[in-house]
């Protein structure tokens, strides 16, 4: 773990992190990653990964509209809106 | 008149039914107590007007004989549950002004049962923390004082620290919490109250702000085991809006409290006897086993061989899920936005300004372990270890019916301690994380005091869907422990 890695991961996560914070994070993330490395001691040959503790299969339902007409509610917390749209930073040049 | 802030929920329901007092009086007493104990900082958003309006509706129902299961009971709601029209922050600056337009399923059930919401309780930011010191809205202070340092403020535990402190201080009769790795049980232990994390899938996660979806589970705080059973019944049940909530009947948990543990096999896992564990923790654990034995339970030595690796697996799985869950905070549809030059810079500035240090640390850990080249080595490896941990419990339950452990490796610590080293802070959850990894139900019951007079809890871990055995066993511990909570005088004699 070095500052270059921290900067790269911060970019992947779209997190602005100051130079000073990055330096602190090098140490902290190294210690966290060092701690979780102990899993390499465990023999997991032929063990299937467990993603969910719920044994039941995910239920299916009919693909039908059960909700809607909530334009105002959906827009109520938007930082910026114009008529019925979210306003975002210009993406396409 | 009796002090209404010291009643149990069970007694308050009787008092309301008998018209000894009104829901409005009961609610007002708790609003007043919140004012007196304002320095504890338990609420991010107090809602006294809403509470009094709900209480007045409750009184009308008591008058007309149509009162519901929790009618008029004043509760605290962890500020991770979305409440329609009431600000919900997750303890984060990024949601400082977020006003949900819908109600979480858990709080809807509590509304349907007639309970009264006193306010939204403080928590670690996005439920990430074990001390309630990562909230954007300030630290919560534990209502308990150490006899060794009476002028020092102690942490209430976390992440549901505001809920736990509110119940311990008599500000609320009960409260909701969420538990991802110990966020209900550890603060319950630190604040000397009962905290229940039910089986994963017992309660709906709809409308609960997500931290780590495969681990997050709603639960409750109360001052007695019976009260916690009453509250859990209200919030549990299948919900079509959450595909991981399970179609299981919700039993009347309180009726499982019979006082009879004869022949019940109590498992004591040898791996929880950690090196350097304080003697007082070992002592309270031994006492718990003795209390149950005295009532006819059988103590069985068991082994959970992968316990040692649970915390490491957790600190891969939980941050990984958090980093993807929290990617939704992009400054577009809700929450804070800080404009930058272009969309990427807007995302980065928004998230950099909106999230606190601990949340950033976990997002970074999660993004790292999920990044190309590391996914198999960390994330898949952790999921494999997760299966081994769950299999350990399955095997152990061939020999026992319920498992007894300490809840936390220590009592509460002073605010500011353990802040320099994230691993030291994470170790607080060493006894609660394995249960979460395996999706099992757990309860923390106050059992005694440490050498400086601060509460210590015992944890019971049950088989999946067997919360009833937890409540039955917890009640026997509660009666034997004769623990004096700050607020409520528990009837000691069975």
């Amino acid at each position: 773990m070095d500052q270059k890695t921290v900067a790269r991961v911060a970019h992947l996560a779209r997190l602005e992190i100051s130079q000073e914070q990055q330096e602190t994070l090098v140490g902290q993330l190294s210690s966290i990653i060092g701690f979780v490395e102990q899993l390499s001691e465990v023999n997991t040959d032929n063990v299937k990964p467990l993603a969910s503790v719920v044994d039941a299969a995910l239920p299916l339902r009919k693909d039908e509209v059960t909700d809607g007409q909530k334009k105002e509610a959906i827009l109520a917390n938007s930082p910026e809106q114009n008529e019925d749209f979210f306003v975002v930073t210009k993406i396409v040049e | 008149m009796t002090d209404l802030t010291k009643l149990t929920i069970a007694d308050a329901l009787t008092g309301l039914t008998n018209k000894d007092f009104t829901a409005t009086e009961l609610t007002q007493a708790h609003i007043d107590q919140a004012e007196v104990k304002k320095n504890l900082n338990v609420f991010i958003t107090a809602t006294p007007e809403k509470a009094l309006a709900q209480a007045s509706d409750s009184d009308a129902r008591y008058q007309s004989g149509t009162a519901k299961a929790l009618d008029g009971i004043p509760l605290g709601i962890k500020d991770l549950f979305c409440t329609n029209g009431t600000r919900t922050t997750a303890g984060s600056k990024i949601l400082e002004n977020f006003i949900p337009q819908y109600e979480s399923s858990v709080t809807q059930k509590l509304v349907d049962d007639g309970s009264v919401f006193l306010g939204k309780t403080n928590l670690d930011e996005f439920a990430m923390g074990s001390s309630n010191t990562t909230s954007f809205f300030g630290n919560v202070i534990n209502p308990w004082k150490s006899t060794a340092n009476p002028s020092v403020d102690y942490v209430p535990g976390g992440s549901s620290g505001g809920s736990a402190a509110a119940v311990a201080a008599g500000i609320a009769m009960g409260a909701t919490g969420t538990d991802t790795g110990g966020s209900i049980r550890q603060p319950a232990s630190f604040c000397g109250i009962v905290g229940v994390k039910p089986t994963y899938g017992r309660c709906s996660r709809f409308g609960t702000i997500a931290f780590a979806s495969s681990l997050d589970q709603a639960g409750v705080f109360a001052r007695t085991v019976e009260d916690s059973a009453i509250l859990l019944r209200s919030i549990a049940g299948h919900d079509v809006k959450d595909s991981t909530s399970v179609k299981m009947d919700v039993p009347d948990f309180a009726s499982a409290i019979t006082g009879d543990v004869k022949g019940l096999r109590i498992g004591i896992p040898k791996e929880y006897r950690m090196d350097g564990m304080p003697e007082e923790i070992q002592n309270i654990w031994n006492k718990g086993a003795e209390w149950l034995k005295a009532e006819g339970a059988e103590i069985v030595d068991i082994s959970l061989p992968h316990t040692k690796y649970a915390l490491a697996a957790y600190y891969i799985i939980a941050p990984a899920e958090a980093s993807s869950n929290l990617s939704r905070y992009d400054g577009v549809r809700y929450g804070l936005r800080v404009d930058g030059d272009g969309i990427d810079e807007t995302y980065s500035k928004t998230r950099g300004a909106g999230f606190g240090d601990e949340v950033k640390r976990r997002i970074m850990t999660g993004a790292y372990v999920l990044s190309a080249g590391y996914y198999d080595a960390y994330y898949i490896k952790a999921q494999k270890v997760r299966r081994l941990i769950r299999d350990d419990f399955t095997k152990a339950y061939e020999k026992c019916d319920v498992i007894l452990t300490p809840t936390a490796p220590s009592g509460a610590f002073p605010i500011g301690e353990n802040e320099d080293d994230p691993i030291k802070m994470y170790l607080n959850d060493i006894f609660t994380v394995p249960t979460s990894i395996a999706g099992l139900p757990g309860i923390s019951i106050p059992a005694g005091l440490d050498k400086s007079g601060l509460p210590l809890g015992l944890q019971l871990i049950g088989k999946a869907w067997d919360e009833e055995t937890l409540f039955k066993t917890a009640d026997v511990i509660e009666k034997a422990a004769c623990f004096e909570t700050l607020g409520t005088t528990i009837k000691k004699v069975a």
Side-chain angles (χ1 to χ4, degrees):
Chain A
M1 187 70 58
D2 51 21
Q3 202 167 334
K4 213 178 116 194
T5 311
V6 168
R8 183 178 61 86
V9 176
H11 173 70
L12 288 175
R14 300 295 186 272
L15 266 182
E16 186 179 75
I17 294 177
S18 68
Q19 202 73 16
E20 194 196 332
Q21 272 184 311
Q22 284 185 14
E23 281 161 28
T24 314
L25 275 170
V26 171
Q28 290 178 336
L29 292 180
S30 299
S31 113
I32 293 167
I33 296 300
F35 176 75
V36 302
E37 290 281 359
Q38 59 174 300
L39 292 191
S40 59
E41 295 167 20
V42 186
N43 182 347
T44 52
D45 296 348
N46 305 315
V47 178
K48 280 195 339 203
L50 179 69
S52 166
V53 290
V54 176
D55 283 325
L58 275 184
L60 297 175
R61 61 165 171 79
K62 275 198 183 135
D63 185 13
E64 58 192 8
V65 176
T66 56
D67 206 348
Q69 305 301 322
K70 292 191 171 155
K71 202 163 55 191
E72 277 171 29
I74 288 165
L75 286 165
N77 281 287
S78 65
E80 196 181 347
Q81 50 179 285
N82 188 355
E83 294 186 8
D84 292 344
F85 298 96
F86 295 109
V87 174
V88 298
T89 313
K90 188 176 171 188
I91 297 168
V92 182
E93 293 301 326
Chain B
M1 190 149 77
T2 51
D3 184 343
L4 296 179
T5 65
K6 295 193 171 180
L7 291 174
T8 64
I9 291 173
D11 286 345
L13 286 167
T14 308
L16 288 163
T17 306
N18 294 341
K19 305 204 169 57
D20 296 337
F21 46 83
T22 65
T24 302
E25 287 166 339
L26 185 65
T27 298
Q28 189 61 53
H30 287 85
I31 293 170
D32 294 347
Q33 178 76 344
E35 203 49 44
V36 172
K37 304 269 179 184
K38 208 164 181 173
N39 67 311
L40 301 179
N41 198 28
V42 300
F43 290 122
I44 290 175
T45 309
T47 55
E49 293 89 7
K50 179 176 171 177
L52 287 169
Q54 288 175 316
S56 157
D57 292 345
S58 287
D59 282 328
R61 286 190 291 268
Y62 277 107
Q63 284 303 327
S64 62
T66 55
K68 302 165 185 186
L70 282 177
D71 231 318
I73 299 301
L75 302 176
I77 304 297
K78 187 179 186 181
D79 204 17
L80 203 64
F81 293 92
C82 286
T83 39
N84 195 351
T86 300
R87 180 171 78 138
T88 301
T89 69
S92 182
K93 183 181 177 186
I94 213 159
L95 289 176
E96 188 179 3
N97 300 307
F98 176 61
I99 299 177
Q101 306 295 304
Y102 62 101
E103 190 77 22
S104 80
S105 294
V106 160
T107 48
Q108 186 62 53
K109 279 172 176 286
L110 291 171
V111 169
D112 293 345
D113 277 347
S115 67
V116 166
F117 291 177
L118 295 162
K120 306 299 292 290
T121 59
N122 206 339
L123 70 160
D124 279 302
E125 186 179 3
F126 284 102
M128 298 176 190
S130 307
S131 57
N132 214 129
T133 52
T134 73
S135 170
F136 175 67
F137 300 90
N139 299 337
V140 175
I141 295 169
N142 193 324
W144 286 80
K145 292 288 173 205
S146 154
T147 50
N149 300 307
S151 61
V152 175
D153 289 332
Y154 278 67
V155 302
S159 68
S160 315
S163 283
V167 173
I171 294 169
M173 303 197 87
T176 63
T178 60
D179 191 315
T180 304
S183 281
I184 291 175
R185 291 160 285 159
Q186 185 254 19
S189 178
F190 280 16
C191 290
I193 59 171
V194 179
V196 186
K197 179 202 99 76
T199 310
Y200 183 86
R202 180 63 96 178
C203 300
S204 170
R205 291 182 298 108
F206 177 78
T208 311
I209 294 173
F211 162 13
S213 304
S214 80
L215 298 159
D216 295 345
Q217 188 56 211
V220 295
F221 293 96
R223 289 188 293 263
T224 69
V225 173
E226 185 188 15
D227 283 1
S228 71
I230 292 170
L231 289 176
L232 184 64
R233 187 190 188 190
S234 187
I235 67 165
H238 174 251
D239 178 14
V240 291
K241 293 174 182 163
D242 173 9
S243 61
T244 61
S245 76
V246 175
K247 271 186 190 156
M248 294 280 284
D249 288 337
V250 179
D252 176 7
F253 295 117
S255 69
I257 298 172
T258 57
D260 179 14
V261 292
K262 275 185 198 66
L264 198 71
R265 297 168 306 166
I266 312 292
I268 306 289
K270 64 168 188 259
E271 291 80 5
Y272 282 56
R273 208 157 280 145
M274 302 277 174
D275 288 341
M277 185 156 87
E279 206 186 327
E280 55 196 7
I281 302 289
Q282 182 65 54
N283 288 344
I284 204 86
W285 191 12
N286 294 345
K287 263 194 199 167
E290 282 159 22
W291 291 330
L292 292 169
K293 201 173 167 188
E295 293 301 316
E298 186 191 338
I299 306 301
V300 186
D301 288 322
I302 58 163
S303 174
L304 298 166
H306 296 91
T307 299
K308 185 183 162 198
Y309 301 105
L311 206 58
Y314 177 85
Y315 273 99
I316 292 172
I317 294 168
E321 293 185 13
S323 80
S324 49
N325 270 325
L326 270 59
S327 65
R328 75 192 63 185
Y329 302 100
D330 58 6
V332 174
R333 290 155 300 157
Y334 42 77
L336 179 78
R337 176 193 294 186
V338 180
D339 284 309
D341 185 17
I343 190 72
D344 279 327
E345 205 183 290
T346 298
Y347 290 155
S348 295
K349 282 188 178 300
T350 296
R351 294 159 60 79
F355 293 136
D357 288 345
E358 181 61 27
V359 172
K360 282 180 186 156
R361 215 154 27 230
R362 301 225 192 171
I363 291 175
M364 290 288 290
T365 309
Y368 179 77
V369 300
L370 290 176
S371 64
Y374 296 108
Y375 182 83
D376 284 351
Y378 292 114
Y379 190 64
I380 297 295
K381 181 77 182 183
Q383 286 192 325
K384 288 179 176 175
V385 173
R386 184 175 191 181
R387 181 177 298 278
L388 293 173
I389 291 164
R390 190 181 69 163
D391 291 351
D392 282 353
F393 279 105
T394 308
K395 281 199 199 93
Y397 283 126
E398 290 168 7
K399 287 179 68 182
C400 68
D401 303 303
V402 62
I403 294 169
L404 176 72
T405 77
T407 306
S410 73
F413 44 87
I415 290 175
E417 215 168 84
N418 297 332
E419 295 285 332
D420 49 332
D421 180 358
I423 300 291
K424 239 169 105 190
M425 189 65 95
Y426 296 171
L427 284 169
N428 264 289
D429 294 331
I430 193 153
F431 298 138
T432 48
V433 152
T435 324
S436 299
I437 293 265
L440 300 173
I443 185 169
S444 179
I445 315 108
L449 301 175
D450 70 8
K451 57 182 180 302
S452 48
L454 294 168
L456 295 173
L458 283 172
Q459 174 180 232
L460 291 165
I461 305 166
K463 298 175 186 171
W465 310 109
D466 190 17
E467 288 88 352
E468 286 166 284
T469 300
L470 286 190
F471 287 120
K472 180 166 73 177
T473 316
D475 162 71
V476 170
I477 291 178
E478 179 179 70
K479 295 216 163 77
C482 287
F483 184 86
E484 288 285 334
T485 60
L486 286 178
T488 303
T489 310
I490 299 170
K491 287 176 222 139
K492 300 301 174 194
V493 185

